[in-house]
Amino acid sequence: MSVVFLSTGPPTVNVEHLDALAESYGVSIDAREKEHYLHLLNGLDATSNAITSLPAYTDPRLLPAASTLPRTYEKLSGKPDKNPLNTWSHRTSITASNPSDVRLSRKTVVFKDNVSIAGVPLTGGTFPELLVGKPDYPVPGIDAVVVKRVLESGGVVKGSANCEHFSMSPLSFTSASGPVHNAWLKGYTTGGSSSGCAAMVAASQVRAWRKRHGLSSPSPSNNDEEELGESVDMAVGGDQGGSIRIPAAYAGIYGLKATHGLVPYTGIISLVPMIDHTGPMTMTLEDNAMMLGVLAGWDGMDPRCTPETPLRQNVPDYLGLLEAWRAEKDLKGDWTPQMAGKGLRIGVIKEGLEVVGLTSEVKSVITAAAEQFKAVGANVEEVSIPMHIIGPAIWTVATRPYMVEHGLQNRVTPYLQYAMPDVTPPVLNQKAFDLLNKHNPAVANMFFNSAFMNSKPDANQALAKAMGHVQQLRDAYDEVLKDFDVLLTPVNPKVGSKHPEYTMDVGKKMEPAIGATLNTCQFNVTGHPALSMPAGWGRTPDGPGMLPVGMQLVGKRFDELSIFKAAAAWEVGGKGLDRWNGQINWTASRSSVI
């Protein structure tokens, strides 16, 4: 291999620098050889400077379409009169004048605030000093691929939704902008880290649910705008350990973590590429299927895509196929509350109902959901996958060594990609630690976790072993999925709790999140698709109200259609949010916690 170094100007690397580099490896260089190594280092430095001096290149495929310009925005964080649930980060309204199709025509869509929207500030749920080392947030010049596809399909981009600090919380009180409230019960978690996305879609769900059940807003003025604020039809969230599915469960909406690599992640702040997912969060199952068809397909830029990722023209019409399957069953007389699930095979993961912290309230809802699958004619069996219990440990060890380097410092991976050049977090120092410790100690803990894992003498061997067990875990699910269409687990281990009181006690801020991902993070490392959907209601553990409980349906990789079929058949027996006995005074419950 030949290497060519550009050499211009006087040398900048001196002997002291060379000695320091050598010492970092615990080696010494003979004085007679230093001249040669200095020459090579100075050549490299000159070459590096030549590249650094070049103007930045932006892939034209990511530039905003001219028909969507100019763009304006309004910052809504910190404006409770316009943003009562603190769901919005920045509001805008962007449409394409000549969309290529109309699948999302007039549908309003918001994006998690780690997704690039050209001309709109990007926060990542944190402070600008921690994201870019400056007092102002970066303003991207590109549209993430998911943004472009929503616009190309006729959707209305309404802006960015608040998210948790660096996407590192399964609950919704860590954002730099303050807590994001559950649309069903203000003051309670709506889940994270796609918290604003979930609550904003849920606000639309609340309005539709109340209308269906003849209930009104409990606000003093009986005005749900004052109570809920502006809402949207759909959202695009992000999921590295459950951050689409967990908030979808707490919020009573539908959230899909599609197969890894099916929906391009280009233009979105990463945590670790192996577990990065983005996907649809919607009011209905049908909207979720439709939106997946819009978002999915190879983009030619995301290294997370694989040879299994379909080209855009080969992406299944998930909604059309679902409707055709439903129509075929209806023609046979099978689309009934007794027969809709006929032919479907549902595996209830035994270990999913044994995770630490799973409450009897949630377990009873999931048990009832499994019974409903039986009632609609599906074949339901309990199945044991012992590795499911150790899955979170595998996820942890396989990702912790990279989490700071890639997720908190945006270190570019050695794969061709759009590298988010505007995200330039500084190195952790005392000032940064104090901010993190105050607002989200989980992020500060991640710095310590990553440094600790990488400092261990057997760090590489431990990581290699964890990677091997990722494959073993994937194989374990694949083996069981040979006999089942979908697997069933709970999503949230307990009914949503109140936001913790503001305190400097790290334990009180960390404790509520413990165990939240024990049924979700496994499928981030294995890459299987997983849908969170509302299965019923549970009483809150610390108040008089009720909040949604979600169930998770997991399918074979790149077989999202089977998940949609199973979910649709289950709902013929009654939708989760309509499993309501009508005896609870919702208005009183709500007013008592506001």
Side-chain angles (χ1 to χ4, degrees):
M1 180 179 70
S2 61
V3 180
V4 177
F5 290 131
L6 300 175
S7 183
T8 58
T12 57
V13 183
N14 56 33
V15 172
E16 288 75 18
H17 197 173
L18 174 61
D19 287 341
L21 292 172
E23 185 178 351
S24 70
Y25 287 103
V27 302
S28 60
I29 305 173
D30 188 281
R32 294 171 296 179
E33 304 294 345
K34 289 185 179 181
E35 177 184 353
H36 302 293
Y37 284 107
L38 278 173
H39 176 71
L40 293 169
L41 280 176
N42 275 294
L44 173 61
D45 192 43
T47 300
S48 175
N49 290 336
I51 297 300
T52 303
S53 66
L54 292 175
Y57 174 76
T58 300
D59 193 308
R61 290 173 290 184
L62 295 174
L63 295 174
S67 68
T68 69
L69 301 175
R71 299 178 177 184
T72 59
Y73 65 84
E74 179 184 8
K75 180 181 177 182
L76 291 186
S77 292
K79 296 181 179 179
D81 57 323
K82 295 184 177 181
N83 195 13
L85 300 178
N86 195 34
T87 52
W88 290 92
S89 178
H90 293 82
R91 183 172 61 187
T92 184
S93 185
I94 306 168
T95 57
S97 58
N98 296 297
S100 55
D101 69 75
V102 294
R103 284 174 289 176
L104 297 184
S105 180
R106 298 183 181 179
K107 293 283 188 179
T108 54
V109 185
V110 73
F111 293 83
K112 182 178 179 181
D113 202 1
N114 67 344
V115 178
S116 297
I117 304 173
V120 177
L122 180 69
T123 79
T126 186
F127 298 96
E129 295 85 356
L130 298 181
L131 191 66
V132 291
K134 300 175 182 177
D136 297 311
Y137 289 111
V139 179
I142 62 108
D143 281 337
V145 167
V146 290
V147 174
K148 291 187 75 73
R149 290 181 176 178
V150 164
L151 290 169
E152 290 166 356
S153 195
V156 182
V157 172
K158 293 299 293 183
S160 55
N162 282 325
C163 64
E164 299 312 294
H165 211 114
F166 275 113
S167 296
M168 286 192 184
S169 177
L171 303 181
S172 65
F173 63 89
T174 74
S175 175
S177 66
V180 177
H181 299 289
N182 195 301
W184 298 95
L185 282 175
K186 191 172 184 180
Y188 281 71
T189 186
T190 193
S193 59
S194 304
S195 48
C197 290
M200 211 178 299
V201 175
S204 293
Q205 187 79 290
V206 168
R207 289 183 168 105
W209 187 89
R210 285 177 179 164
K211 183 177 181 180
R212 194 158 66 248
H213 291 283
L215 299 174
S216 59
S217 169
S219 69
S221 63
N222 197 30
N223 181 352
D224 64 13
E225 284 296 325
E226 177 184 289
E227 174 205 359
L228 301 172
E230 183 178 354
S231 59
V232 294
D233 299 315
M234 302 171 163
V236 176
D239 193 314
Q240 280 87 12
S243 287
I244 286 174
R245 291 159 288 158
I246 292 170
Y250 283 123
I253 64 171
Y254 300 75
L256 178 70
K257 181 201 77 65
T259 304
H260 189 249
L262 178 60
V263 179
Y265 203 83
T266 305
I268 305 174
I269 297 174
S270 169
L271 280 185
V272 175
M274 181 173 69
I275 58 173
D276 288 334
H277 297 75
T278 185
M281 303 176 74
T282 59
M283 288 175 59
T284 68
L285 179 70
E286 290 75 16
D287 276 357
N288 208 279
M290 177 173 61
M291 195 177 198
L292 179 63
V294 169
L295 300 178
W298 185 73
D299 71 344
M301 292 175 277
D302 185 7
R304 299 166 188 79
C305 295
T306 74
E308 296 176 282
T309 303
L311 299 175
R312 286 205 76 191
Q313 61 266 31
N314 296 331
V315 170
D317 175 8
Y318 298 103
L319 180 57
L321 292 169
L322 175 63
E323 291 177 336
W325 175 77
R326 187 159 45 194
E328 182 181 355
K329 289 181 73 71
D330 193 32
L331 191 63
K332 295 177 181 178
D334 287 346
W335 199 247
T336 69
Q338 296 77 36
M339 298 288 286
K342 180 182 178 182
L344 292 174
R345 301 162 300 168
I346 313 298
V348 180
I349 299 180
K350 172 178 175 289
E351 291 77 10
L353 294 171
E354 297 172 349
V355 298
V356 175
L358 185 72
T359 64
S360 58
E361 189 89 359
V362 170
K363 188 173 182 178
S364 66
V365 171
I366 301 306
T367 301
E371 290 299 316
Q372 182 165 318
F373 266 119
K374 291 181 183 178
V376 298
N379 178 34
V380 180
E381 297 179 33
E382 184 177 84
V383 58
S384 178
I385 307 176
M387 284 199 74
H388 183 79
I389 290 293
I390 200 173
I394 295 170
W395 172 83
T396 298
V397 177
T399 58
R400 282 294 193 274
Y402 301 119
M403 199 70 78
V404 167
E405 184 178 16
H406 297 310
L408 301 178
Q409 295 180 337
N410 196 35
R411 182 80 173 181
V412 178
T413 61
Y415 298 97
L416 186 60
Q417 65 196 282
Y418 178 77
M420 301 290 287
D422 295 328
V423 178
T424 55
V427 176
L428 180 70
N429 57 23
Q430 187 64 49
K431 182 178 179 181
F433 171 77
D434 290 342
L435 266 176
L436 294 172
N437 187 58
K438 180 178 179 181
H439 292 274
N440 190 2
V443 181
N445 179 57
M446 196 60 65
F447 278 95
F448 301 142
N449 280 194
S450 190
F452 174 75
M453 291 292 294
N454 287 315
S455 71
K456 296 180 71 171
D458 63 345
N460 196 58
Q461 292 92 328
L463 181 57
K465 184 172 284 190
M467 288 296 184
H469 287 306
V470 168
Q471 185 63 55
Q472 184 185 15
L473 183 62
R474 176 189 281 194
D475 293 344
Y477 293 124
D478 285 346
E479 185 63 27
V480 172
L481 282 164
K482 290 178 181 178
D483 298 320
F484 295 95
D485 297 297
V486 298
L487 304 177
L488 171 63
T489 77
V491 182
N492 38 342
K494 56 187 177 182
V495 181
S497 56
K498 286 182 181 179
H499 294 310
E501 292 181 10
Y502 185 80
T503 172
M504 292 305 294
D505 187 320
V506 170
K508 290 183 179 178
K509 286 184 280 192
M510 297 282 283
E511 191 276 332
I514 293 174
T517 64
L518 291 179
N519 271 319
T520 57
C521 65
Q522 299 94 326
F523 305 109
N524 288 83
V525 288
T526 67
H528 290 85
L531 174 76
S532 172
M533 62 182 290
W537 299 90
R539 289 188 179 276
T540 57
D542 45 14
M546 301 281 281
L547 283 173
V549 174
M551 69 173 170
Q552 178 174 232
L553 300 181
V554 180
K556 301 176 183 70
R557 289 181 302 114
F558 294 100
D559 186 19
E560 281 75 6
L561 182 59
S562 288
I563 293 176
F564 291 135
K565 287 179 178 179
W570 185 87
E571 290 193 333
V572 175
K575 293 187 177 182
L577 294 182
D578 291 334
R579 296 173 65 90
W580 174 57
N581 61 20
Q583 300 303 309
I584 301 167
N585 187 334
W586 286 86
T587 302
S589 296
R590 186 174 179 86
S591 63
S592 68
V593 297
I594 291 179

